Amino acid sequence: MESLFDTILVGNTLLIILGLLIIFHLLVIAGIIPYGIVWAGKINNRAQLLRMESISLVVLVLAILLVALRLEYLTFLNYPAIINGGVWGLFAFFLLNTLGNLTAKSPVEKYGFGALTLLMSLCCLVLGY
């Protein structure tokens, strides 16, 4: 059965979103964007902010690598089952992240990033097929 969606377009869209999220998290670390709108508003100090934002950046970089491998922009890992499993893992991760965003105090995180992570999970769903 042929996919209803163009895998390359969906994958490129996801790569753009992930890249923009890296910029967003770097702006949070730099203090340009207030940290109260990330991590459900539960960051209490700069050290905690750096630790949690570092986790975000690592996850985003790994997600970019997985999507780039899935789209065959990178070819250093030639194990389609592992790559596909990783994409399905991203689908689950972003879906759970959507649920977490819905518990946030900030309306920006709740509705804006909730919708964004839902879109990201749907993109991973398309890439997983």
Side-chain angles (χ1 to χ4, degrees):
M1 179 176 174
E2 214 173 298
S3 175
L4 296 174
F5 300 98
D6 179 1
T7 304
I8 300 298
L9 176 63
V10 170
N12 286 337
T13 300
L14 187 54
L15 287 173
I16 290 167
I17 293 169
L18 292 166
L20 290 172
L21 282 171
I22 285 178
I23 294 168
F24 171 81
H25 285 287
L26 290 172
L27 292 172
V28 171
I29 290 170
I32 296 169
I33 295 176
Y35 63 80
I37 66 169
V38 295
W39 293 99
K42 295 179 180 169
I43 302 289
N44 297 317
N45 56 53
R46 181 95 177 132
Q48 192 178 27
L49 170 73
L50 292 174
R51 184 172 47 252
M52 300 306 279
E53 287 301 299
S54 295
I55 292 169
S56 292
L57 291 170
V58 167
V59 169
L60 289 169
V61 168
L62 290 175
I64 287 171
L65 285 173
L66 265 172
V67 174
L69 285 165
R70 170 62 179 87
L71 296 175
E72 297 179 354
Y73 293 156
L74 298 175
T75 57
F76 64 85
L77 182 65
N78 193 18
Y79 296 100
I82 293 172
I83 295 167
N84 203 43
V87 170
W88 281 106
L90 286 177
F91 165 72
F93 174 78
F94 290 132
L95 197 59
L96 290 172
N97 197 331
T98 301
L99 296 175
N101 285 336
L102 295 176
T103 68
K105 297 175 188 174
S106 165
V108 171
E109 187 175 10
K110 183 180 280 190
Y111 302 112
F113 286 106
L116 186 64
T117 55
L118 180 60
L119 174 64
M120 292 166 68
S121 66
L122 294 174
C123 286
C124 289
L125 180 65
V126 170
L127 289 178
Y129 278 105

